[in-house]
Amino acid sequence: MVSKTLSRRGFLSRSALVGCSLAASPLMTPVSFAAAPGDNRLVVIILRGGMDGLDVVQPYGDPAFAALRGGPRPGTADGPIDLDGYFALHPALGPLLPMWRQGQLGFVHAVSTPYRDKRSHFDGQDLLEAGIPDLSGGLSRDGWLNRLLQHYPGLHSETAYAIGQENMAVIDGPAPVSRWSPEADLALTPQAVRLARRVMQDDPAFAAAMTQALALAESDGDAVAAPGGFDQMMSMVAEDRQNARKGNAETRIASFAADRLRGDSRIATFSINGWDTHEQQARNLGKALDRLARTILDLKEGLGDSVWNRTTVMAMTEFGRTARLNGTQGTDHGTGGLMILAGGAVRGGRVVSDWPGLSEADLYDRRDLMPTRDVRAHAGWILRSLYGLDTGLIENVVFPGLDLGTDPRLLL
């Protein structure tokens, strides 16, 4: 008779060989089915590559903007969409305009992390996701979402999800979280599913974890068990790979996030790439914004009105870009950037900013949008509004060294 320990190890090894989903992380982490306290939901989207906030929400009312960027004015063909007489929305985000009118879409302009001058994507993203003031002070590199979770009452492995193939450092740390990726689906023969259940049946903790892992793997609409046996299982694996290549990952991520947030989960985080627009920004930024708009719309539809009304979507990027276009009609790494907020919990329909101006003397290092406030302060006030955290905890633990400053009242 094979020992229980060896059988479990054998199952895990075989699962890996057939592409067993890393979505089955409950196999590795403590599992609880207790419901989390509170009804508020938070979705944090990391926009990797340094999004150009000056193009996304264009300050056309600033007298220096036209000379820096040119381009069509609001109201012209393919031009930006006027928001408030001073700022205009990139046309690729036009599908989100109804949210703006309903007060469910807002922006925070001219903000950044404390990162300055070195202009490295890697360091910028590390600093953004760690939520610390610098990378040289020996501070913990745990993600600020994980430090929040360490003070979340009733925390369990379903409370928070990291979704997608990218490592989400913003949620890394000792607090338990779950992970799922549409590129790593689970497909097994029915015999393998039965064998897995038998192997786990004598250990309640492993059996519960197994049940949850299978349910999690099927929650994206794809059945785990292939009734046609080995050939069908391999066909399912090939189909999963083909879907991943079709580039619909954001749709599947948004659908999965909405499904979990309708249940016991309260926090989800994932990233969207494609914001590093050194060349032909008009074309490349439009594609990235189109994916972002579809992701937010998919989230809204998947959550339904009752959950959407308690949801805050917070999209952040590591830095902004240069105020002037370069010789290839792109922009280079800059400083001041933009935070995007969406959701029924947001006090939207406005651009929040201490606008610094765009004359050359007003620019940071005479080349970038001047950041006028720490983007972590806005994230901190959102966390305080959502979870009632003490301001000292936010300033000293979640975002060490942060001065929250005045409450911008970003949520209802």
Side-chain angles (χ1 to χ4, degrees):
M1 181 176 178
V2 179
S3 74
K4 191 183 300 183
T5 301
L6 286 175
S7 296
R8 286 176 189 144
R9 183 179 299 122
F11 165 71
L12 293 172
S13 298
R14 287 170 176 79
S15 298
L17 288 174
V18 297
C20 179
S21 173
L22 292 180
S25 62
L27 287 168
M28 308 298 184
T29 56
V31 175
S32 166
F33 293 97
D39 286 331
N40 294 325
R41 272 74 163 177
L42 173 65
V43 179
V44 176
I45 306 174
I46 303 297
L47 306 176
R48 300 191 188 281
M51 180 184 69
D52 181 13
L54 281 176
D55 207 349
V56 178
V57 174
Q58 302 175 15
Y60 75 95
D62 189 304
F65 180 73
L68 288 168
R69 292 298 180 95
R73 299 276 295 180
T76 59
D78 300 324
I81 304 163
D82 180 53
L83 292 175
D84 59 4
Y86 193 90
F87 292 101
L89 189 66
H90 192 289
L93 290 186
L96 300 184
L97 199 58
M99 288 187 192
W100 170 268
R101 292 171 177 150
Q102 295 166 12
Q104 297 184 350
L105 177 71
F107 305 94
V108 183
H109 223 322
V111 290
S112 75
T113 70
Y115 186 62
R116 296 291 184 275
D117 301 329
K118 296 180 182 177
R119 307 179 192 276
S120 158
H121 289 301
F122 303 107
D123 289 346
Q125 290 173 24
D126 281 353
L127 206 69
L128 172 67
E129 297 189 65
I132 55 181
D134 65 76
L135 298 171
S136 60
L139 295 171
S140 169
R141 297 288 188 94
D142 292 346
W144 56 265
L145 269 179
N146 197 279
R147 292 197 295 276
L148 161 70
L149 289 169
Q150 293 170 40
H151 297 273
Y152 193 97
L155 174 69
H156 56 85
S157 62
E158 279 279 305
T159 300
Y161 268 85
I163 307 173
Q165 196 171 29
E166 294 273 350
N167 176 47
M168 298 305 299
V170 69
I171 206 167
D172 283 349
V177 300
S178 293
R179 302 177 191 276
W180 180 86
S181 172
E183 292 87 0
D185 213 346
L186 176 64
L188 297 171
T189 64
Q191 294 86 347
V193 174
R194 287 196 293 273
L195 174 61
R197 291 191 184 281
R198 291 194 63 179
V199 166
M200 306 294 179
Q201 66 184 2
D202 293 332
D203 188 315
F206 272 83
M210 182 71 200
T211 298
Q212 189 183 19
L214 293 175
L216 180 59
E218 289 186 326
S219 64
D220 63 353
D222 295 337
V224 170
F230 181 80
D231 290 342
Q232 186 178 357
M233 181 192 75
M234 296 308 296
S235 176
M236 290 169 62
V237 171
E239 184 178 351
D240 289 336
R241 290 174 177 169
Q242 187 176 13
N243 285 336
R245 286 195 294 268
K246 287 179 180 176
N248 61 355
E250 285 90 2
T251 297
R252 298 186 70 188
I253 286 172
S255 175
F256 180 83
D259 179 71
R260 307 319 294 178
L261 293 170
R262 285 199 311 270
D264 288 342
S265 300
R266 294 294 179 268
I267 296 172
T269 183
F270 55 88
S271 63
I272 297 177
N273 296 330
W275 307 94
D276 196 13
T277 51
H278 288 283
E279 299 177 355
Q280 302 301 317
Q281 177 162 302
R283 179 186 62 198
N284 297 322
L285 182 63
K287 291 179 181 177
L289 289 172
D290 177 67
R291 294 203 306 276
L292 175 61
R294 283 190 285 110
T295 300
I296 293 174
L297 290 172
D298 288 344
L299 271 172
K300 183 177 188 295
E301 181 180 359
L303 289 171
D305 289 344
S306 63
V307 178
W308 175 255
N309 288 336
R310 299 191 295 274
T311 296
T312 300
V313 179
M314 184 163 56
M316 311 168 75
T317 190
E318 65 262 33
F319 45 60
R321 306 190 74 83
T322 48
R324 297 177 183 83
L325 294 174
N326 61 28
T328 59
Q329 295 301 299
T331 54
D332 299 319
H333 301 175
T335 309
L338 181 79
M339 170 190 275
I340 300 174
L341 301 173
V346 169
R347 190 186 300 273
R350 59 189 181 139
V351 179
V352 177
S353 177
D354 300 321
W355 188 247
L358 291 175
S359 69
E360 185 166 338
D362 292 328
L363 297 177
Y364 179 80
D365 201 23
R366 307 182 80 84
R367 52 169 280 173
D368 304 336
L369 176 63
M370 178 72 74
T372 55
R373 198 162 178 190
D374 193 325
V375 70
R376 299 175 303 156
H378 293 85
W381 282 113
I382 287 173
L383 298 184
R384 192 176 192 285
S385 297
L386 288 174
Y387 306 116
L389 295 181
D390 179 78
T391 54
L393 182 68
I394 296 172
E395 292 179 330
N396 299 312
V397 177
V398 179
F399 295 112
L402 172 68
D403 178 4
L404 272 168
T406 305
D407 184 357
R409 297 178 56 78
L410 297 174
L411 303 187
L412 294 173

